[in-house]
Amino acid sequence: MDFNFTSEQDQLRDMVARLMREQYDFDTRRKIASSEPGWRPEMWSQFAELGLLAAPFTEEEGGFGGPIETMIMMEEFGKGLVIEPFLQTAVIAFLQGIIGGEKIFGFAYAEPQGRYNLNDLATTAKKDGDGYVLNGHKAVAHGGPMATHFIVTARTGGDQRDDKGVGVFIVAKDAKGVTTRDYPTVDGQRASEVYFENVSVGADALIGSGDDLALVEKVVDEAIAALCAEAVGCMKVLNEATVDYSKQRKQFGVPIASFQVLQHRMVDMFMAAEQAVSMAYMVTLKLGEDDVERAKAASAAKVQTGKAGKLISQDAVQIHGGMGMTDELNVGHYFKRLTMIGQQFGDVDFHLKRYAKLSAG
Amino acid sequence: MDLEFSPEDIAFRDEVRKFLEESYPESLRGKASRDEYEREDFLLWQKTLYERGWGAPAWPKEYGGTGWTSIQRFIFQEECARAETIPIPPFGMNMLAPVLLAFGSEEQKQEYLPPIIKGETFWCQGYSEPGSGSDLASLKTTAVRDGDEYVINGQKTWTTLGHFADWIFVLCRTDPSAKKLQEGISFILVNMKTPGVEVKPIITLDGSHEVNETWFTDVRVPVANRVGEENKGWTYAKYLLLHERSGIAGVGRSKRAVERLKEIAATEVSHGEPIIHDPTFARKIAELEVDLTALEYTELRTLAAEAQGKGPGPESSLLKVKGTEIQQRLTELTLEAVGNYAAPYFRGFPKDGDNAYPIGPGYAHMAAPLYANMRKTSIYGGSNEIQRNIIAKAVLGL
């Protein structure tokens, strides 16, 4: 048992933290998020130059890290409220050709009727000669406006909600028949509705066999692990800000930190964040296990992170009082990001059910 | 003991319902669910009610009150909530007016009350300051006597709808040497157009503009604008806060919001099944409804006590705490219900005035902003921590 980071991992954390501090301060980020195009292509180039896009890959895969490095980076990205689609590109797509920064991915898996169920797909991929023809509407594809390519789930066979017949495709955004509607998201990021109308792709667009729900589940679990780490970054910022504020803010002639009712709430926030850190470690270290163990770990982590994120974000706003409600202070922005993470890839109830089912065997 | 409304109350309810169906202004329909209003919207609705003779149900008859019982007032609010009318801003009607009625001069009542009931003036509240929130009595804005005028300097904050207001009632320190902070405060009415008054918007985390900073720089107002006695403003301020809390339970609006939530939960599906049939989600809605029922009957008990001449007391803190917890819970469950389509952000969209922006279902557009916005309810009007302190002290004697 060892929860220590290597010195290389510490260096990676320091490097990302410095990048966040120097180029991703709150005011800069706020300005970028609220203007067009809503992200910084040059930041993406920096990610590539600094090797951050290679960090999720092992040496054999052409990189220098793995899931632990992803966790470290995502936590720091959480502190910076990073907008660029690192998760979709380096964690979910996780393909050759992204390390240099030339391809950026959006993840088009959700559908309007599908909620968080990965197998509920009305989008179809019909065999056509060697290739496929895609038709359908993908909902809320995070990172879509910045993407050059999409990872798309589509039905190669079976009925709409069958486990069988889930195919995974790579589709270039400029492919004929692909249209998007881009919009900002509540947490200052960008996403797209993606529409496929008779989009022809070659055989090489298909990743895997065309019957790959298990692969989608695995990739989403990896994304969940990364999101949990990002949430930890948000929680740490909020907890530190709240404790600081409570010491400075005076009412009735004393710092509000001296009120026991607030002390206990901040202790609860601290405990929730520590539990979330533990879960982020746990799920990251279990990503290599068999499907059931990995899925249980991911759902457990998502549940705990969802609960902690809600408690911490709500109490951080409450203890900051009116100031916590303002757009000007960073607190509300972390509140919104944690709120969105709480639902991304499934909320607490969804993952409790998934866990219960897996746990019952 | 009797849970039924009397036949008279039922007849009254039907009368209100008919009025709302026939006379609620067409231009205001649908605005309440979008939670976006203009100044003229509020004034129009007030004017409409005034013309029906229902402009100020809680006021004494001689000033335009309806003479309704507290149960009738409750029914009226319920029906307005059911019809999803826009809210009546409380600042003039429920905050300033009770203070004027109790402590104002006859001239002040004659000058300020009619324009409120007729929907001609819009008021806002000048209480909180950057350094004085929960600890309101520590406020620093000063009013210095200069002949027949006060000269006001300082800054108020969280001025809700101050950008719509014609007038503001301001708590000012008139005696900085008073022994206790609560002494030496006066309650002064200021026209927003007076030179030296400046309103600066505060944008909240949901992207909306509801609150403001209000700055006072050498603002001169006649001494006649002071309500009641000099240095006794704290008494009036506290009186006002009791009235502010009594309307805060929001039972009727929460009931309507539960209905909306159920409609959404009947539309949203998971694996093809409406989530309202999902036992976990159904249980959450049921728990909320049970809490709301408890609050409704607690409010009815309070109203019945009021009808017997017991004015709003510290119990109103209970209504504030539970009412706001339920309002927040409602937005939490609505956010959960809409799933992935909680993410798209549409405030200010679309710019061309098309209100049918076709991304995701319409009911999803405001789910996350409202969830964020409603966090304010456990902070404003005396934070819920302060309300619990009040109950601990004033009710339990701790």
Side-chain angles (χ1 to χ4, degrees):
Chain A
M1 188 96 356
D2 179 9
F3 287 114
N4 293 308
F5 295 107
T6 65
S7 60
E8 288 82 6
Q9 289 167 341
D10 283 335
Q11 282 168 18
L12 175 66
R13 182 186 295 278
D14 290 346
M15 179 172 70
V16 181
R18 194 180 331 116
L19 178 68
M20 294 297 106
R21 209 167 44 240
E22 290 173 358
Q23 295 184 47
Y24 234 112
D25 61 281
F26 174 65
D27 287 333
T28 305
R29 190 263 185 193
R30 191 160 72 130
K31 218 174 288 167
I32 300 293
S34 60
S35 56
E36 295 306 322
W39 69 298
R40 283 179 285 180
E42 68 274 19
M43 182 56 62
W44 195 259
S45 309
Q46 279 209 58
F47 283 6
E49 280 160 29
L50 293 170
L52 304 188
L53 300 175
F57 295 85
T58 62
E59 279 179 36
E60 299 96 78
E61 292 161 339
F64 62 85
I68 297 173
E69 282 69 16
T70 299
M71 179 183 83
I72 290 168
M73 288 188 289
M74 286 301 289
E75 183 181 329
E76 297 308 313
F77 287 163
K79 292 178 186 169
L81 291 172
V82 163
I83 299 166
E84 287 76 16
F86 179 85
L87 178 75
Q88 287 74 17
T89 304
V91 180
I92 293 170
F94 194 65
L95 294 161
Q96 300 305 321
I98 65 135
I99 288 177
E102 53 276 31
K103 286 182 185 166
I104 303 180
F105 279 83
F107 186 29
Y109 76 102
E111 297 195 0
Q113 82 294 341
R115 210 167 179 79
Y116 309 123
N117 304 295
L118 303 173
N119 61 341
D120 189 339
L121 299 176
T123 300
T124 55
K126 289 222 168 72
K127 196 93 175 100
D128 179 40
D130 281 349
Y132 292 87
V133 176
L134 272 64
N135 277 288
H137 168 195
K138 290 294 185 177
V140 198
H142 290 277
M146 311 146 194
T148 57
H149 294 73
F150 288 106
I151 299 286
V152 185
T153 55
R155 205 151 265 300
T156 54
D159 290 332
Q160 189 183 314
R161 288 186 282 275
D162 283 353
D163 285 351
K164 289 250 168 238
V166 174
V168 184
F169 297 86
I170 304 174
V171 183
K173 193 174 171 179
D174 59 7
K176 192 161 174 278
V178 176
T179 51
T180 60
R181 297 204 56 180
D182 301 344
Y183 46 83
T185 57
V186 167
D187 51 357
Q189 306 204 349
R190 301 280 166 142
S192 308
E193 299 299 287
V194 190
Y195 306 89
F196 299 89
E197 200 184 341
N198 297 321
V199 177
S200 290
V201 295
D204 58 345
L206 179 71
I207 303 175
S209 66
D211 180 25
D212 279 313
L213 181 61
L215 171 66
V216 180
E217 297 261 359
K218 180 170 184 288
V219 164
V220 167
D221 286 342
E222 286 162 359
I224 286 172
L227 268 186
C228 289
E230 184 187 350
V232 163
C234 296
M235 292 176 198
K236 285 184 177 175
V237 173
L238 281 181
N239 282 357
E240 199 185 317
T242 306
V243 167
D244 277 357
Y245 183 80
S246 74
K247 288 180 187 167
Q248 287 161 25
R249 171 73 176 174
K250 285 190 177 160
Q251 290 286 271
F252 307 103
V254 293
I256 62 170
S258 64
F259 302 135
Q260 198 173 41
V261 69
L262 297 191
Q263 288 175 359
H264 285 190
R265 281 173 92 149
M266 288 186 277
V267 169
D268 286 342
M269 292 163 75
F270 167 78
M271 294 194 295
E274 286 301 313
Q275 300 273 66
V277 170
S278 304
M279 285 306 230
Y281 285 14
M282 185 279 294
V283 63
T284 300
L285 295 172
K286 286 200 171 196
L287 287 177
E289 304 224 348
D290 67 57
D291 284 354
V292 171
E293 280 309 303
R294 185 209 65 234
K296 275 172 68 182
S299 283
K302 193 67 171 52
V303 167
Q304 196 69 32
T305 303
K307 292 201 295 195
K310 187 163 150 184
L311 178 124
I312 290 169
S313 57
Q314 292 187 348
D315 279 353
V317 169
Q318 184 70 21
I319 294 172
H320 276 83
M323 285 308 295
M325 288 296 300
T326 63
D327 179 65
E328 190 190 338
L329 207 69
N330 62 7
V331 171
H333 297 258
Y334 291 96
F335 172 96
K336 289 187 283 190
R337 181 65 194 133
L338 281 173
T339 301
M340 289 295 115
I341 289 175
Q343 301 203 162
Q344 210 171 338
F345 299 119
D347 60 16
V348 169
D349 284 354
F350 178 86
H351 283 287
L352 264 180
K353 271 183 215 156
R354 183 173 182 242
Y355 184 93
K357 210 169 152 192
L358 291 163
S359 183
Chain B
M1 270 212 173
D2 184 3
L3 283 181
E4 297 299 317
F5 286 132
S6 68
E8 293 78 22
D9 288 335
I10 303 281
F12 174 74
R13 187 196 66 194
D14 293 343
E15 188 187 354
V16 173
R17 202 169 280 187
K18 188 160 175 280
F19 164 75
L20 292 172
E21 276 164 21
E22 290 170 359
S23 306
Y24 185 64
E26 204 55 46
S27 64
L28 303 183
R29 284 183 203 274
K31 289 215 171 194
S33 59
R34 291 199 299 279
D35 199 37
E36 282 182 344
Y37 316 104
E38 299 299 324
R39 169 192 152 93
E40 297 313 315
D41 296 338
F42 291 120
L43 295 179
L44 172 62
W45 179 218
Q46 179 60 39
K47 195 162 170 275
T48 309
L49 288 168
Y50 171 71
E51 283 164 1
R52 179 64 179 79
W54 294 350
W59 293 5
K61 270 195 129 165
E62 54 181 310
Y63 294 100
T66 51
W68 291 343
T69 63
S70 49
I71 297 292
Q72 283 176 314
R73 296 206 314 256
F74 176 80
I75 289 171
F76 179 72
Q77 279 178 16
E78 284 262 297
E79 289 303 312
C80 286
R82 187 177 164 276
E84 296 190 302
T85 65
I86 67 169
I88 303 283
F91 315 107
M93 184 64 61
N94 299 332
M95 295 183 178
L96 176 68
V99 171
L100 285 182
L101 287 162
F103 306 106
S105 67
E106 197 48 44
E107 292 76 32
Q108 287 173 333
K109 292 178 203 175
Q110 294 304 337
E111 181 172 354
Y112 298 112
L113 294 179
I116 293 175
I117 194 173
K118 290 179 187 167
E120 292 168 357
T121 54
F122 198 105
W123 283 81
C124 64
Q125 180 183 28
Y127 269 36
S128 295
E129 297 183 6
S132 308
S134 292
D135 181 14
L136 184 59
S138 67
L139 61 91
K140 292 190 174 66
T141 296
T142 54
V144 178
R145 193 75 180 254
D146 181 23
D148 288 343
E149 292 179 326
Y150 284 113
V151 183
I152 301 176
N153 278 287
Q155 187 203 339
K156 295 291 176 182
T157 193
W158 317 127
T159 322
T160 302
L161 302 182
H163 51 302
F164 290 167
D166 305 293
W167 286 84
I168 182 169
F169 48 91
V170 191
L171 291 182
C172 300
R173 194 159 292 289
T174 36
D175 180 7
S177 63
K179 280 204 191 88
K180 287 173 71 180
L181 285 174
Q182 288 83 351
E183 294 162 5
I185 291 172
S186 295
F187 191 106
I188 300 173
L189 313 179
V190 180
N191 189 309
M192 298 292 277
K193 291 196 183 69
T194 317
V197 179
E198 194 186 352
V199 176
K200 294 179 185 171
I202 299 174
I203 304 301
T204 44
L205 76 171
D206 57 310
S208 67
H209 174 202
E210 270 182 335
V211 288
N212 303 274
E213 297 175 355
T214 309
W215 296 73
F216 299 87
T217 311
D218 294 329
V219 174
R220 292 184 164 266
V221 298
V223 168
N225 284 19
R226 189 191 69 228
V227 176
E229 293 177 49
E230 192 170 73
N231 299 329
K232 295 280 184 231
W234 187 250
T235 312
Y236 318 141
K238 276 200 311 188
Y239 181 84
L240 179 152
L241 286 175
L242 277 180
H243 281 266
E244 179 184 12
R245 277 168 211 147
S246 66
I248 218 159
V251 169
R253 303 227 168 241
S254 289
K255 275 177 157 178
R256 188 67 194 93
V258 170
E259 294 310 311
R260 281 262 184 243
L261 172 60
K262 286 180 175 172
E263 287 162 29
I264 293 170
T267 311
E268 284 289 323
V269 293
S270 183
H271 268 305
E273 271 293 302
I275 59 170
I276 200 165
H277 297 145
D278 171 306
T280 312
F281 202 73
R283 183 195 160 108
K284 286 179 166 180
I285 298 179
E287 279 186 327
L288 180 67
E289 281 193 88
V290 170
D291 283 345
L292 183 55
T293 306
L295 179 67
E296 180 180 9
Y297 282 90
T298 303
E299 183 171 34
L300 285 169
R301 278 173 57 214
T302 311
L303 289 172
E306 238 183 279
Q308 290 166 10
K310 297 174 195 145
E315 300 80 7
S316 59
S317 292
L318 186 165
L319 298 178
K320 198 269 173 171
V321 171
K322 291 295 158 193
T324 53
E325 285 175 358
I326 287 169
Q327 289 159 29
Q328 291 180 336
R329 184 72 182 142
L330 268 162
T331 60
E332 280 178 27
L333 292 190
T334 305
L335 179 76
E336 274 183 41
V338 303
N340 287 317
Y341 277 118
Y345 179 64
F346 293 101
R347 185 161 318 261
F349 276 78
K351 304 248 186 279
D352 58 9
D354 171 10
N355 56 15
Y357 204 62
I359 286 176
Y363 55 69
H365 293 179
M366 287 303 290
L370 272 181
Y371 165 70
N373 181 277
M374 288 308 273
R375 302 313 307 168
K376 72 188 175 188
T377 65
S378 50
I379 297 170
Y380 69 26
S383 73
N384 285 12
E385 287 83 3
I386 292 291
Q387 304 298 341
R388 285 185 165 90
N389 285 349
I390 290 170
I391 296 174
K393 208 167 151 186
V395 181
L396 303 182
L398 302 176

